[in-house]
Amino acid sequence: MIDYAKERLCINSKSIHQSGISNGGILSYSIIAKLSDIFASIAPVAASPLLGYGDLPGSPLSIIDLHGTRDTVVPNTLTQALGLGPYDSLVSSNDGFYYEKKSSTIKRYVDGFNCTSISSPWKTDMDGVKDWSCDLWTVCIGGMEIVNCTGSFGHNYPFGAGKHTQAARIIWNFMKTHEKQDI
């Protein structure tokens, strides 16, 4: 599909990004393991890799991850999960699947791409709304960055009905400043 679009449209191949919510966010994590050389960034929302499908991408790309602290469908932490599964995974109370802990996923990317080991705040216009905050890891291989945002919401876009555009703006602001780097 990307090759088809590149042949027919004026596309900046250094600015191809992917986002999805829930299963679409799970796809984000799965697809980058195989196609990280194409994408500049991904933006999974309310998603974590399924156990065994969170491989480190083959080439660096930036990541902004948005995940609610009240999500029981794809749990963010043990607090929302039905319990622990194999390999320190989290069991969803909704579907019984095993999801990676978000902290483990982020740590694997931070370590795997030699980012700064300590995060700093990544500021947005929504900081503090429903406990919203974002952490940023920089100085990663290829100039990539990793941002992990959380807030008090469930298995949906942040900030509730009528304010979903705020989350889209946050994602867009990240994507437009993160092009694919030549390594």
Side-chain angles (χ1 to χ4, degrees):
M1 182 177 84
I2 292 170
D3 289 339
Y4 179 86
K6 281 181 177 178
E7 290 170 8
R8 288 161 180 78
L9 303 169
C10 181
I11 293 177
N12 178 355
S13 62
K14 291 183 176 252
S15 192
I16 298 173
H17 307 269
Q18 195 275 339
S19 182
I21 183 170
S22 188
N23 212 12
I26 294 168
L27 174 68
S28 297
Y29 279 114
S30 297
I31 201 169
I32 63 170
K34 304 272 189 264
L35 300 173
S36 59
D37 58 325
I38 295 172
F39 293 99
S41 75
I42 61 165
V45 179
S48 290
L50 288 165
L51 183 61
Y53 291 91
D55 294 338
L56 191 66
S59 62
L61 78 163
S62 294
I63 300 167
I64 182 168
D65 183 282
L66 286 61
H67 207 144
T69 57
R70 295 184 295 122
D71 188 345
T72 60
V73 177
V74 180
N76 189 7
T77 65
L78 184 56
T79 306
Q80 296 85 36
L82 186 61
L84 278 177
Y87 303 101
D88 207 30
S89 63
L90 300 175
V91 182
S92 169
S93 62
N94 185 59
D95 57 24
F97 289 169
Y98 299 123
Y99 295 96
E100 289 187 0
K101 280 185 186 173
K102 184 57 60 81
S103 59
S104 299
T105 301
I106 297 297
K107 181 172 178 14
R108 183 174 49 261
Y109 292 132
V110 166
D111 293 347
F113 289 117
N114 298 323
C115 304
T116 53
S117 59
I118 299 181
S119 66
S120 59
W122 191 70
K123 301 291 183 191
T124 74
D125 291 341
M126 299 304 286
D127 288 355
V129 175
K130 293 188 174 191
D131 300 322
W132 178 260
S133 67
C134 300
D135 293 312
L136 166 70
W137 289 265
T138 60
V139 195
C140 308
I141 293 172
M144 68 175 277
E145 294 182 325
I146 298 172
V147 175
N148 182 37
C149 301
T150 60
S152 183
F153 55 96
H155 191 69
N156 52 18
Y157 272 92
F159 315 120
K163 298 212 175 204
H164 296 351
T165 56
Q166 296 300 333
R169 283 189 185 113
I170 290 167
I171 291 169
W172 170 241
N173 286 334
F174 181 83
M175 287 179 171
K176 71 182 180 181
T177 60
H178 289 84
E179 284 193 343
K180 188 74 177 166
Q181 302 299 314
D182 294 324
I183 298 180

